Amino acid sequence: MDLVVLQWLFFGRVAGGIYTKAADVGADLVGKVERNIPEDDPRNPAVIADNVGDNVGDIAGMGSDLFGSYAESSCAALVVASISSFGNNHEFTSMMYPLLISSVGILVCLLTTLFATDFFEVKTVKEIEPALKNQLIISTILMTIGIALVSWIALPSSFTIFNFGVQKEVKNWQLFLCVCVGLWAGLIIGFVTEYYTSNAYSPVQDVADSCRTGAATNVIFGLALGYKSVIIPIFAIAISIFVSFTFAAMYGVAVAALGMLSTIATGLAIDAYGPISDNAGGIAEMAGMSHRIRERTDALDAAGNTTAAIGKGFAIGSAALVSLALFGAFVSRAEITTVDVLTPKVFIGLIVGAMLPYWFSAMTMKSVGSAALKMVEEVRRQFNTIPGLMEGTAKPDYATCVKISTDASIKEMIPPGALVMLTPLIVGYFFGVETLSGVLAGSLVSGVQIAISASNTGGAWDNAKKYIEAGASEHARSLGPKGSDPHKAAVIGDTVGDPLKDTSGPSLNILIKLMAVESLVFAPFFAAHGGLLFKIF
């Protein structure tokens, strides 16, 4: 994929995340915590920027992220296919196997929508999340059948691929299993994400219960939940990598990533569910509509937060598989026979690469914090200086808050962008391809763990707040109404989690993918001219 396109995707994910969370944090801290007014109250100057940010960050940002993963995995699979036996023999149908997977995925997701509209009518709040989850299950089952048909029709019974210069014989059923293992691993990641971020299950309810003793215990419980939520997804990714690589080497890994993303249309639909519901609630609040309508949209939004977290899980898992495939392509193109972690060149790259996601996350979180600080100061200024604003007789200056988020999203993305773009160039030229291979491996391993943890922690804090606000169970009502001390503690946890789940966590996908693509593009140059410092000393 062209680096310019990848930079645009980086802009959509990182800048979009900074935009939405700067507005969201500023609106919540002043409006809900300090002024004790409802969320999306039209008296809050940051409310328009907040609603715009839901679209910019949660829909456009996630869409660009998943598009990048999908395009990169398709390109990686096609490149490997081009040097296989059916590539050399010009067997066009077999060559197009990765694109056929994508095409079947589109048809399957269109068919899945019929189940959503015609067979699973939602009548109660409790049926919302199961109905959305059923869409993933149905699309996964249908996709398995579709992949079986495509594999039988398009692929020869056996063919040869090249694994780092060594020929490997592959059967068509083995490649079918590679796609399926990625497809079902994505579903497992989605279910685990739902368990740890939905307020229908005990982990989020425990986080909500911890708010009884204040924001500190809420933060502690939320962080512990995020760390624990990494375990099963990592095992799912590891098993899918082992199976796919054993059967079909890097080609297997690439099509496994395609399999995980083959139901992308359904994933994007349920990902957009939350922001749409959230903005509908904001419009209802600003229009002064019945409180009952806001309760319904909040229920939809709570379900949408969970499905959005599921979408992030798919994006992170697929990014790991895509980056591994690109890493293999880089190693081959740089003519590296082995990557030995015991050599100093590789090991220093490994530990530096593992550090990069922390550095990147620090930059993006600080960017959100700096932008949110300006937003808080502006909202406070308007409440303190505009007569009649709290009484509802004066109109706030929405445009200034929108400008703060817009300016911050453009300016604050420059440092993390420079980190991502310059690191492969500096390491490859001054330290060589062996050190760069260590950097790529370290950033991949570290980045996936942090991304899953950050996304799930933020999602759990958000739904813990909504669990208290909804008061749908006796346990939730015992925590107190809106404005109570446990609710304020939950709002603070949600505010801390906002940059984690919508900025830093998802943006790490772009970090590991963009570094891998850039390294692949410059691999021949680094192989011929890299390692300048080692040559000097």
Side-chain angles (χ1 to χ4, degrees):
M1 180 185 287
D2 190 86
L3 284 175
V4 176
V5 176
L6 284 173
Q7 291 172 21
W8 173 250
L9 299 180
F10 179 88
F11 171 81
R13 178 77 272 183
V14 178
I18 294 172
Y19 184 105
T20 181
K21 292 303 109 180
D24 196 0
V25 171
D28 282 354
L29 284 180
V30 181
K32 296 175 70 172
V33 177
E34 296 181 6
R35 294 289 175 165
N36 199 26
I37 61 176
E39 186 174 0
D40 297 314
D41 192 296
R43 294 172 292 178
N44 193 328
V47 69
I48 298 296
D50 185 12
N51 287 330
V52 172
D54 288 335
N55 186 30
V56 173
D58 296 335
I59 295 181
M62 179 57 72
S64 65
D65 188 0
L66 290 174
F67 169 76
S69 293
Y70 210 27
E72 289 151 13
S73 59
S74 299
C75 290
L78 288 170
V79 168
V80 178
S82 67
I83 59 174
S84 65
S85 61
F86 46 69
N88 294 334
N89 297 332
H90 304 291
E91 298 173 11
F92 183 76
T93 304
S94 301
M95 265 290 298
M96 294 297 104
Y97 180 71
L99 298 184
L100 290 174
I101 296 174
S102 306
S103 303
V104 171
I106 296 173
L107 296 176
V108 163
C109 292
L110 288 174
L111 184 59
T112 303
T113 59
L114 298 179
F115 289 89
T117 56
D118 298 334
F119 298 105
F120 293 104
E121 183 180 354
V122 177
K123 297 180 180 179
T124 64
V125 171
K126 293 182 179 180
E127 296 176 356
I128 299 172
E129 282 190 32
L132 293 171
K133 187 169 63 173
N134 285 338
Q135 305 309 302
L136 283 176
I137 298 173
I138 292 168
S139 62
T140 301
I141 294 173
L142 294 177
M143 191 64 202
T144 303
I145 299 171
I147 294 169
L149 293 174
V150 168
S151 301
W152 179 60
I153 295 172
L155 296 175
S157 59
S158 65
F159 52 92
T160 303
I161 63 171
F162 294 91
N163 180 30
F164 303 125
V166 179
Q167 290 189 354
K168 182 177 179 63
E169 192 75 16
V170 180
K171 306 292 186 182
N172 57 0
W173 62 266
Q174 291 178 317
L175 201 59
F176 162 72
L177 289 180
C178 291
V179 182
C180 286
V181 75
L183 175 65
W184 286 92
L187 188 65
I188 292 171
I189 293 172
F191 281 171
V192 172
T193 303
E194 181 209 19
Y195 175 74
Y196 281 105
T197 57
S198 172
N199 55 29
Y201 301 104
S202 59
V204 171
Q205 294 175 7
D206 290 341
V207 172
D209 194 64
S210 70
C211 295
R212 295 179 187 272
T213 51
T217 48
N218 180 30
V219 171
I220 293 170
F221 270 69
L223 289 173
L225 179 148
Y227 296 151
K228 189 176 181 180
S229 70
V230 172
I231 299 172
I232 297 178
I234 290 300
F235 276 115
I237 294 171
I239 292 172
S240 63
I241 290 173
F242 177 78
V243 172
S244 58
F245 190 88
T246 301
F247 282 156
M250 281 300 173
Y251 189 37
V253 175
V255 296
L258 266 179
M260 189 176 290
L261 287 167
S262 59
T263 55
I264 186 174
T266 300
L268 282 174
I270 65 173
D271 178 74
Y273 189 93
I276 292 171
S277 302
D278 192 9
N279 274 357
I283 293 171
E285 185 74 43
M286 288 185 285
M289 300 176 72
S290 170
H291 183 66
R292 183 179 300 176
I293 295 176
R294 185 58 199 248
E295 290 177 352
R296 291 174 180 172
T297 58
D298 282 348
L300 299 177
D301 186 24
N305 281 333
T306 301
T307 56
I310 291 174
K312 292 182 180 72
F314 271 90
I316 295 166
S318 63
L321 296 179
V322 170
S323 298
L324 180 59
L326 293 171
F327 175 74
F330 164 76
V331 171
S332 297
R333 200 172 185 207
E335 299 179 352
I336 303 174
T337 54
T338 57
V339 180
D340 187 358
V341 297
L342 295 179
T343 59
K345 287 183 180 180
V346 177
F347 191 78
I348 60 173
L350 198 66
I351 58 175
V352 170
M355 173 272 298
L356 288 177
Y358 290 94
W359 191 359
F360 182 85
S361 297
M363 285 182 172
T364 53
M365 290 190 69
K366 187 177 180 181
S367 296
V368 172
S370 300
L373 179 62
K374 296 177 183 178
M375 188 69 71
V376 167
E377 291 175 344
E378 174 60 24
V379 175
R380 283 176 178 168
R381 183 193 69 79
Q382 293 196 33
F383 274 122
N384 293 329
T385 59
I386 299 179
L389 184 56
M390 276 299 294
E391 292 76 16
T393 58
K395 184 179 179 180
D397 181 10
Y398 299 118
T400 300
C401 293
V402 171
K403 186 176 186 302
I404 290 174
S405 277
T406 304
D407 292 344
S409 65
I410 296 174
K411 294 177 182 178
E412 296 290 345
M413 69 164 286
I414 295 176
L419 175 68
V420 174
M421 297 302 297
L422 294 179
T423 296
L425 298 177
I426 293 173
V427 174
Y429 183 68
F430 288 101
F431 297 94
V433 289
E434 291 88 357
T435 304
L436 183 55
S437 66
V439 169
L440 295 178
S443 63
L444 168 60
V445 172
S446 175
V448 171
Q449 321 264 356
I450 299 173
I452 295 174
S453 174
S455 296
N456 290 347
T457 294
W461 275 326
D462 194 352
N463 272 349
K465 178 200 69 174
K466 285 182 168 58
Y467 177 74
I468 296 174
E469 291 176 345
S473 66
E474 184 177 347
H475 175 251
R477 288 190 292 272
S478 69
L479 297 175
K482 289 184 179 181
S484 63
D485 288 340
H487 177 248
K488 289 183 178 179
V491 171
I492 292 173
D494 175 38
T495 305
V496 174
D498 276 337
L500 288 175
K501 71 180 177 68
D502 289 325
T503 308
S504 296
S507 296
L508 289 172
N509 303 339
I510 304 293
L511 168 77
I512 58 178
K513 290 185 296 185
L514 187 53
M515 285 180 57
V517 171
E518 186 178 4
S519 300
L520 177 60
V521 170
F522 288 96
F525 174 79
F526 294 148
H529 306 288
L532 181 63
L533 289 182
F534 292 122
K535 292 177 181 177
I536 294 175
F537 297 104

